[in-house]
Amino acid sequence: MMKVEKKTSKLLTALSIVLAIAMIFPIFWLICSSFKQPNELFKYPLKLFSSDPTFQYYKSVLSGGFMNYVKNSLFLAVVGTLITLAISAMCGYALAIYRFEIKYTNLVFAVFLLGTLIPGETLTVPQVSVISALGLYNNIWGVILPVVTTTTGIFMFRQAYMAIPLSFVEAARIDGCPEWKIFTHVMMPLGSSSFVTLAIFSFMWRWNDYILPMLILSNQKNFTIQLAIKNFIGNTGVDWSSILSASVMSVIPVIVVFVILQKYIIGGVSAGGVKG
């Protein structure tokens, strides 16, 4: 029996390594290709490493105002994530703590969940119409505000707070603690793993967003990284070398955020799956 378990464990380990390599290899190929000359990218037979590596296209991308696009994307991702965390945490708190105190609280949550059945593409035209009416067209806030609420975040916080005994809240109320202090001083620290997990997901969603910025932003100085990369596709051809170089640089912030906060993901996802 022990031998069978050891063999199974080794097989699963080997399979995990193969899958990890299969997932990492395209990223590694992207990085290596970003140092190649254009004539090497499609030369057959394909080679992983360049025979004449160059930083020329990194320099070209940076000199073309790429850091301004990074600044715009960082503002979009960071500010949008902070607002999303605040709204999701407060909604999750209300839906979890007041579920026995306020009638129809669970029905309200069910309506939130039903909203996830609506395809995001069907909301594009109404979103653009509202943004234009508010005077936020071609404004980075016009990209941030339509997506600051997320049912995923509300669900995650609700489930996390439902796993916390209501006696904590009741004890704080008996001590005379106001409701906002209960939320900020008692519940928020206990739901820290959900904060970190949603922060990672929200940052990646906004950093990689393409459709909404493309519809809202028309002035190039307001472009995000994803729109800037699209600009390398012109009427006369595609500047693949610049696209590869810009893509590598655009991935770095997401990897940094993920590496720093990855240890909190399992805790946050587990907390979101607890049945209350």
Side-chain angles (χ1 to χ4, degrees), residues 109-207:
F109 179 62
V111 173
F112 276 124
L113 292 181
L114 286 174
T116 61
L117 301 178
I118 303 175
E121 291 77 8
T122 62
L123 302 176
T124 302
V125 174
Q127 284 177 342
V128 174
S129 299
V130 172
I131 290 301
S132 298
L134 291 174
L136 293 176
Y137 183 77
N138 197 29
N139 189 313
I140 196 70
W141 285 101
V143 183
I144 294 174
L145 295 179
V147 290
V148 290
T149 56
T150 166
T151 304
T152 301
I154 294 172
F155 174 80
M156 186 182 298
F157 277 102
R158 177 183 180 269
Q159 296 303 99
Y161 289 147
M162 286 181 69
I164 300 171
L166 285 175
S167 57
F168 285 26
V169 176
E170 293 167 357
R173 287 173 179 170
I174 292 172
D175 289 338
C177 189
E179 207 67 26
W180 67 270
K181 271 197 173 182
I182 296 175
F183 172 65
T184 56
H185 290 69
V186 178
M187 304 302 286
M188 281 181 61
L190 294 174
S192 58
S193 58
S194 296
F195 273 97
V196 176
T197 305
L198 182 58
I200 294 173
F201 292 156
S202 179
F203 185 91
M204 289 192 296
W205 294 336
R206 282 147 184 79
W207 184 267

Side-chain angles (χ1 to χ4, degrees), residues 9-26:
S9 177
K10 289 180 179 179
L11 182 62
L12 291 174
T13 301
L15 181 61
S16 300
I17 293 173
V18 171
L19 291 175
I21 293 174
M23 295 179 68
I24 293 173
F25 182 74

Side-chain angles (χ1 to χ4, degrees), residues 78-98:
V78 173
V79 174
T81 295
L82 291 176
I83 298 175
T84 297
L85 289 174
I87 293 175
S88 299
M90 289 189 288
C91 287
Y93 173 82
L95 292 171
I97 303 305
Y98 301 139

Side-chain angles (χ1 to χ4, degrees), residues 1-143:
M1 188 65 178
M2 291 294 292
K3 290 183 178 179
V4 173
E5 290 180 355
K6 287 182 178 180
K7 287 182 178 179
T8 303
S9 177
K10 289 180 179 179
L11 182 62
L12 291 174
T13 301
L15 181 61
S16 300
I17 293 173
V18 171
L19 291 175
I21 293 174
M23 295 179 68
I24 293 173
F25 182 74
I27 300 175
F28 185 65
W29 187 281
L30 167 68
I31 296 171
C32 292
S33 298
S34 67
F35 297 102
K36 294 179 180 178
Q37 300 286 352
N39 61 341
E40 290 184 287
L41 293 174
F42 303 102
K43 185 178 180 180
Y44 188 82
L46 296 175
K47 293 182 180 179
L48 180 59
F49 298 103
S50 172
S51 57
D52 184 24
T54 178
F55 286 93
Q56 172 188 347
Y57 296 97
Y58 280 96
K59 295 178 182 177
S60 175
V61 170
L62 289 173
S63 63
F66 187 77
M67 294 310 297
N68 181 61
Y69 306 134
V70 172
K71 182 186 71 174
N72 293 336
S73 288
L74 279 175
F75 183 83
L76 167 64
V78 173
V79 174
T81 295
L82 291 176
I83 298 175
T84 297
L85 289 174
I87 293 175
S88 299
M90 289 189 288
C91 287
Y93 173 82
L95 292 171
I97 303 305
Y98 301 139
R99 64 187 185 276
F100 299 126
E101 302 176 24
I102 301 177
K103 198 175 181 180
Y104 303 125
T105 300
N106 290 329
L107 180 61
V108 171
F109 179 62
V111 173
F112 276 124
L113 292 181
L114 286 174
T116 61
L117 301 178
I118 303 175
E121 291 77 8
T122 62
L123 302 176
T124 302
V125 174
Q127 284 177 342
V128 174
S129 299
V130 172
I131 290 301
S132 298
L134 291 174
L136 293 176
Y137 183 77
N138 197 29
N139 189 313
I140 196 70
W141 285 101
V143 183

Side-chain angles (χ1 to χ4, degrees), residues 66 69 209-211 213-215 217-218 220 223-235 237-240 242-244 246-247 250:
F66 187 77
Y69 306 134
D209 195 9
Y210 173 75
I211 298 297
M214 181 185 66
L215 296 173
L217 304 176
S218 59
Q220 188 166 340
F223 279 7
T224 60
I225 284 180
Q226 309 309 326
L227 296 182
I229 292 175
K230 190 211 68 162
N231 279 349
F232 293 115
I233 302 175
N235 295 327
V238 181
D239 187 355
W240 288 109
S242 296
I243 288 177
L244 293 171
S247 298
S250 72

